[in-house]
Amino acid sequence: MNLSNKYSMITILIFAILLINYTFAEKNIKESKILLRCKKKCNHNNKKLKKFCKKCSSLNILDKNKIHENDKISENNEIFENNKTSENNILSEKKNFSVTLLSYSTNFDYNKIENLFVFGDSYSSVNTNFLDMSYTGDNRSLGKNWPLKLIELKNMKLWDFAIPASTINKNIVKSGHDFFDQYNHFFEKMTFNKYFNGEWKSSNSLFAIWIGSEDIIRIPEKSNIEKLSEQIISNMFDVIEKLYNDGARNFLILNIFYLNKTPYNKSGKINYMNFNINYYNEILKNKVNYYFKTKNDLNIFFYDINYLIDGIIEHCYNYEFNNCKDAWVLNKDKNVEDFFWNFTHISNKANKILAEDINDLLNSINN
């Protein structure tokens, strides 16, 4: 073989390899998009999407243990429904710790939910005027945060008691406001013989609670996180018990996402929070399960936000973000819609994804 023929063969081989790689890359992008659609549509066992979901099965997406498909365990006239997740799940190698706990005696019907009560911090606040319960909608998402997005997806009246920078108990972790303050606003406006008491009832109301991030942020690095977590979460359920006694029967409780993964931790100065948040979330999940077992008329949706956030960060471009690491507030010359973060808060578009995922979860109970 002469030299020119030899180079021609090498050129052909290189071209063939590039063509094969391009073909596989295109296939992977296509399958990745299907994976995301499967996560959203096929894990709720919707018969109308049976044809589409065959693609999921062919890609080994749907395991016998499906997200949001409930494994019912009868115990003392209660149903313990655990949203099992495949170890080889769709978006992340991490396990989904979401769990759904449904009562035999109190039916949860999302179609009949007309009121959304929200308690929390700046992730959930809409700048409520507690005199008349009106709100401006101001928040840290650079648009609409998840409660505002959720009531667009499901027609509900929003009663938002969240206050920025709130801890669970300001006597344990110092702050200007806490969960007890928020409950006091609720008590003064919504309970028996109070002004808005006639606006809601147990069966048509969902109580959403996402609080604890400020506690984690404010706890010093070398504190006894084990002891503090148990104290804080015990106080959290003291307030939940008050809400229960006032008539709350349907709860949505979100855990704490990994603050050490936000742009705030670019220097690594709060890496220690990874352990704190892991421990806190484990105690919270166990307390949710325990509290449910003490009641026979309670429905609880425990939502693992880390599963969603980790999945989005790992598949940033598939969710149509250009940046899932940096904060838009430090890159204001760029398109805000390209960013997942606004420093320690998720952006408007990310809040929309969160609201859609919560809405899908709640809808799946009746479908």
Side-chain angles (χ1 to χ4, degrees):
M1 181 182 291
N2 61 39
L3 190 61
S4 62
N5 287 340
K6 187 176 180 180
Y7 282 123
S8 296
M9 287 297 294
I10 292 171
T11 302
I12 291 169
L13 283 171
I14 291 171
F15 179 77
I17 291 168
L18 290 173
L19 181 62
I20 290 168
N21 286 340
Y22 175 79
T23 303
F24 274 109
E26 286 293 301
K27 184 174 183 289
N28 287 337
I29 290 170
K30 183 178 179 181
E31 288 188 356
S32 181
K33 289 180 179 179
I34 294 174
L35 288 175
L36 296 174
R37 292 176 65 198
C38 287
K39 187 253 179 183
K40 195 169 189 67
K41 295 184 177 182
C42 295
N43 284 309
H44 301 301
N45 211 19
N46 190 332
K47 294 179 181 178
K48 295 179 181 179
L49 297 171
K50 189 174 181 180
K51 185 176 180 181
F52 168 76
C53 293
K54 284 183 179 179
K55 294 181 182 178
C56 302
S57 299
S58 68
L59 291 171
N60 264 338
I61 296 166
L62 295 182
D63 193 88
K64 289 181 181 178
N65 297 329
K66 297 176 184 177
I67 304 169
H68 298 165
E69 179 171 336
N70 300 316
D71 176 30
K72 298 183 180 180
I73 304 172
S74 177
E75 179 178 354
N76 298 326
N77 292 326
E78 300 167 348
I79 296 178
F80 179 89
E81 294 196 341
N82 189 0
N83 291 334
K84 294 166 134 188
T85 308
S86 166
E87 289 298 326
N88 298 313
N89 53 51
I90 298 165
L91 295 182
S92 171
E93 292 180 358
K94 291 194 172 186
K95 188 175 180 182
N96 184 353
F97 292 103
S98 295
V99 62
T100 299
L101 306 162
L102 299 178
S103 166
Y104 269 130
S105 60
T106 302
N107 180 52
F108 177 82
D109 188 345
Y110 190 42
N111 297 320
K112 295 181 179 178
I113 298 296
E114 300 174 2
N115 297 283
L116 175 63
F117 290 91
V118 176
F119 300 85
D121 49 35
S122 55
Y123 296 138
S124 308
S125 171
V126 294
N127 194 24
T128 301
N129 178 346
F130 296 118
L131 295 176
D132 61 7
M133 292 308 298
S134 62
Y135 54 84
T136 65
D138 292 344
N139 65 89
R140 307 282 179 83
S141 73
L142 308 170
K144 293 182 178 180
N145 59 8
W146 73 270
L148 295 172
K149 297 287 189 183
L150 188 57
I151 62 171
E152 288 181 347
L153 297 168
K154 170 73 170 72
N155 186 24
M156 295 180 286
K157 170 73 174 178
L158 178 61
W159 308 92
D160 198 318
F161 294 90
I163 303 174
S166 288
T167 58
I168 290 173
N169 186 335
K170 59 192 175 188
N171 294 319
I172 298 176
V173 179
K174 300 299 181 184
S175 62
H177 303 278
D178 62 16
F179 195 12
F180 289 87
D181 294 331
Q182 295 177 34
Y183 170 76
N184 288 337
H185 288 302
F186 169 85
F187 182 83
E188 290 301 322
K189 293 297 178 183
M190 310 301 304
T191 56
F192 183 70
N193 278 341
K194 301 298 168 54
Y195 191 79
F196 292 110
N197 179 59
E199 298 287 326
W200 71 283
K201 53 187 178 181
S202 300
S203 60
N204 72 357
S205 301
L206 176 66
F207 287 73
I209 301 166
W210 189 13
I211 195 167
S213 295
E214 286 289 338
D215 298 80
I216 293 294
I217 290 171
R218 293 165 187 254
I219 292 173
E221 181 175 356
K222 295 184 179 180
S223 300
N224 186 338
I225 189 62
E226 293 89 347
K227 181 179 179 181
L228 283 170
S229 292
E230 292 182 12
Q231 288 179 335
I232 291 165
I233 291 168
S234 177
N235 276 260
M236 176 180 178
F237 277 83
D238 287 344
V239 179
I240 290 174
E241 178 70 8
K242 291 175 182 289
L243 292 169
Y244 174 85
N245 290 335
D246 291 325
R249 291 297 181 269
N250 303 308
F251 287 94
L252 169 67
I253 300 174
L254 287 76
N255 63 3
I256 305 306
F257 68 74
Y258 292 102
L259 297 159
N260 50 295
K261 293 184 180 181
T262 68
Y264 177 68
N265 191 39
K266 224 171 181 184
S267 66
K269 63 183 177 181
I270 58 169
N271 283 341
Y272 70 91
M273 285 190 185
N274 189 73
F275 174 83
N276 292 1
I277 294 167
N278 269 331
Y279 190 89
Y280 180 93
N281 283 342
E282 184 65 23
I283 297 297
L284 178 59
K285 184 184 71 172
N286 291 340
K287 185 67 174 180
V288 166
N289 288 327
Y290 173 79
Y291 186 73
F292 173 76
K293 292 177 182 179
T294 67
K295 312 294 181 186
N296 61 8
D297 59 351
L298 193 62
N299 299 306
I300 304 179
F301 299 89
F302 178 69
Y303 186 85
D304 179 17
I305 191 167
N306 288 299
Y307 180 73
L308 179 71
I309 288 181
D310 285 351
I312 295 172
I313 292 173
E314 289 170 20
H315 300 267
C316 186
Y317 297 113
N318 290 322
Y319 277 92
E320 299 180 351
F321 292 106
N322 286 335
N323 190 319
C324 289
K325 293 181 179 180
D326 302 312
W328 177 81
V329 71
L330 303 177
N331 296 273
K332 289 187 177 181
D333 58 321
K334 298 179 181 178
N335 185 0
V336 65
E337 289 298 302
D338 288 339
F339 284 77
F340 178 73
W341 294 107
N342 182 34
F343 216 46
T344 57
H345 292 73
I346 60 175
S347 65
N348 168 63
K349 190 160 72 172
N351 270 275
K352 181 182 178 182
I353 296 170
L354 171 59
E356 288 173 345
D357 201 54
I358 290 172
N359 190 62
D360 286 347
L361 167 61
L362 299 173
N363 263 322
S364 70
I365 302 304
N366 301 116
N367 293 332

